[in-house]
Amino acid sequence: SLLALVLGMIATSGSGFSICIAPALCVASHCLLQRKLRHMHSVALLFSVLFALVLNTFISVSLAALVKGELEKPNFSAGSFYFPAEGRMMNWGAENFTTAPCGISYGTSDPAVSMRLVDFALLNKVVYMPELSLRKHLRQWLPAWELVREQRRETACRPDDEDCNSGDWTSWFVFQGRQGTALANTTVMTIRGTKTDLDYILDMDFWSEAILLELIGNIAVTGPPVSAFLTSPLAKLWFTGKKVRYQSVLRYLSRHVQRHPERRIYITGHSLGGGIANLVGAELGIPSVAFSPPGVWTTAQLLNVDPTRLQALALDINPDKDPVVRATGHHGT
């Protein structure tokens, strides 16, 4: 659309558009997001329109990038690499992209076998797929793993599902190593990122305080009173109630840790899911691996979760200049 193209041109010149729309989304979420969500369809429609506009903007930027020519080869230094800002990627071969983080590994129930970041990345990729596609690609990409539990919040709760309620909006999946393999006693819970209208609302509900602090926290006039209120005991008391949004994750993992102390357990997620994974991991003492998550330091404090535990338990994989990563403040990992 013409409007999306104009906004895309504005976005290419800097982050002004993101800064302008973020406060509007934050205010809208607090004005419209009531605990009961009695007007769920209207709220979902509003956020669908807003995010469709943002999506069209970024699509326009991507289309504009296609006419800027080929990218130069990546620049390597200190075990990492980066790309030029414009152009499109050519096929140089996977061997060119072996960097220091790719060597990070996590132990499993078998000392001779470890998990790499690519394993966690693939477990995050498959959860965006429909169930049949998920199982098909899991067999192709990670044949030693099997899906043993899933909660998709776009579907209604089953009557026999004690981990599902209308206030819990988090979609999550549990993978375990197949019996007879080296991963048989290893469990990974994957929190899905933003996919549905409800996920968009959950984004605003969870991270709006961090965005507000990031945008206006350093302004001389408005910064101090806003910061004082958002870090006050009253704000923490109100915000702690938002744990209901991922209560099923806490309940399931708490039971799993108690009943299976012999298992290696990890939690991972992408974007929205990565932020929740870091919060849950810090609260329950479970290592977490997050891809492009929002900063959770502020949110952890509001939820009465010790943010210093993020440094010991959480690992974030963040693309440079990712607007979600940068707009939500300190990560603490």
Side-chain angles (χ1 to χ4, degrees):
S1 65
L2 180 60
L3 178 58
L5 182 59
V6 172
L7 292 176
M9 294 172 63
I10 296 174
T12 56
S13 63
S15 57
F17 174 70
S18 300
I19 294 176
C20 291
I21 197 172
L25 293 177
C26 296
V27 172
S29 72
H30 283 287
C31 292
L32 299 176
L33 186 60
Q34 301 177 8
R35 284 292 178 191
K36 299 298 184 181
L37 279 181
R38 299 175 180 175
H39 305 290
M40 176 64 185
H41 295 293
S42 300
V43 176
L45 179 60
L46 173 62
F47 277 90
S48 296
V49 172
L50 290 174
F51 276 92
L53 181 61
V54 174
L55 181 61
N56 284 335
T57 300
F58 285 109
I59 289 176
S60 300
V61 174
S62 299
L63 291 176
L66 290 177
V67 301
K68 294 182 180 293
E70 298 286 352
L71 280 174
E72 299 175 1
K73 288 191 175 183
N75 302 283
F76 295 88
S77 63
S80 62
F81 65 89
Y82 64 92
F83 297 102
E86 299 178 348
R88 60 181 182 271
M89 178 178 163
M90 298 183 296
N91 183 18
W92 297 304
E95 66 277 4
N96 291 328
F97 301 96
T98 301
T99 63
C102 296
I104 297 174
S105 61
Y106 286 78
T108 66
S109 49
D110 187 335
V113 178
S114 59
M115 292 186 65
R116 302 286 181 149
L117 294 183
V118 67
D119 298 315
F120 290 102
L122 290 174
L123 289 175
N124 278 279
K125 181 176 179 62
V126 296
V127 299
Y128 287 94
M129 300 177 181
E131 183 176 0
L132 293 179
S133 295
L134 186 159
R135 296 184 183 277
K136 173 185 174 182
H137 286 86
L138 188 64
R139 288 192 299 269
Q140 292 177 347
W141 297 340
L142 300 166
W145 292 92
E146 62 179 343
L147 177 67
V148 297
R149 183 70 181 272
E150 64 177 346
Q151 291 283 354
R152 297 176 183 262
R153 293 310 179 197
E154 61 267 31
T155 59
C157 295
R158 301 192 308 270
D160 61 339
D161 191 349
E162 62 178 356
D163 291 323
C164 187
N165 64 75
S166 59
D168 191 323
W169 299 347
T170 302
S171 295
W172 49 273
F173 304 75
V174 179
F175 299 93
Q176 291 184 2
R178 294 184 182 275
Q179 292 299 319
T181 69
L183 300 171
N185 283 324
T186 304
T187 299
V188 177
M189 173 181 278
T190 303
I191 312 295
R192 194 182 68 191
T194 306
K195 182 180 180 181
T196 67
D197 294 340
L198 189 60
D199 295 331
Y200 294 134
I201 301 174
L202 182 56
D203 273 318
M204 290 297 102
D205 190 28
F206 254 19
W207 318 121
S208 55
E209 283 76 7
I211 294 175
L212 281 172
L213 283 175
E214 187 71 10
L215 291 176
I216 64 177
N218 295 323
I219 300 177
V221 177
T222 60
V226 171
S227 298
F229 170 74
L230 292 179
T231 56
S232 66
L234 179 62
K236 290 183 178 180
L237 179 64
W238 165 72
F239 204 86
T240 302
K242 295 188 179 185
K243 281 188 180 181
V244 70
R245 302 292 181 235
Y246 57 90
Q247 185 178 34
S248 59
V249 176
L250 289 170
R251 185 183 300 145
Y252 181 91
L253 283 178
S254 297
R255 290 200 310 262
H256 199 70
V257 169
Q258 293 175 358
R259 296 175 182 176
H260 304 282
E262 78 286 356
R263 300 189 70 90
R264 285 292 188 101
I265 302 174
Y266 299 105
I267 184 169
T268 183
H270 165 253
S271 190
L272 164 68
I276 295 177
N278 283 344
L279 290 170
V280 173
E283 181 166 349
L284 299 182
I286 299 174
S288 61
V289 178
F291 296 87
S292 299
V296 299
W297 182 273
T298 300
T299 305
Q301 291 178 306
L302 290 171
L303 290 171
N304 285 325
V305 175
D306 183 1
T308 60
R309 302 188 72 182
L310 295 168
Q311 296 176 332
L313 295 167
L315 174 67
D316 288 359
I317 311 299
N318 296 326
D320 189 28
K321 299 182 181 179
D322 186 326
V324 173
V325 173
R326 299 178 70 185
T328 48
H330 184 38
H331 284 244
T333 58

